[in-house]
Amino acid sequence: AAVALLRTPGILARLQSSTAQSLDPEMTAAAGLLVHRLLEERRSAIGRWLVEVKGGRSATDAWQEVFGESLVETAQRPLAFWRIND
């Protein structure tokens, strides 16, 4: 069900506008699949981003600096993975 949800148009906007408290189990699973792929593909960059955020940088600014693109742009690759793979 989570993979099917990741294949729906506008899923990133829905995930971004949600809070941890408002995510239903299916949305939580979908977000978890995206994070899992990001960790597989960009583990060291995620680590650098966490260090920057813990050091006081805003999450958005740190993401842009570490990844060289916005979170939405970064999420497109793992999202594409789940659109074509089960």
Side-chain angles (χ1 to χ4, degrees):
V3 172
L5 184 60
L6 288 175
R7 293 177 176 155
T8 60
I11 187 61
L12 284 179
R14 287 178 56 201
L15 286 170
Q16 277 189 301
S17 66
S18 300
T19 63
Q21 295 79 19
S22 70
L23 290 176
D24 61 35
E26 195 171 77
M27 288 284 281
T28 300
L33 287 173
L34 282 177
V35 170
H36 177 78
R37 275 311 290 173
L38 279 172
L39 285 171
E40 284 184 345
E41 295 174 358
R42 316 270 307 260
R43 182 177 305 271
S44 64
I46 296 279
R48 289 192 314 272
W49 173 73
L50 287 170
V51 168
E52 291 289 326
V53 171
K54 286 185 171 196
R57 301 258 334 257
S58 81
T60 304
D61 290 345
W63 193 276
Q64 184 70 41
E65 182 176 317
V66 170
F67 288 90
E69 60 191 5
S70 72
L71 176 57
V72 170
E73 292 168 319
T74 304
Q76 293 301 321
R77 279 181 298 285
L79 189 58
F81 173 88
W82 288 113
R83 285 189 177 135
I84 60 173
N85 293 285
D86 290 328

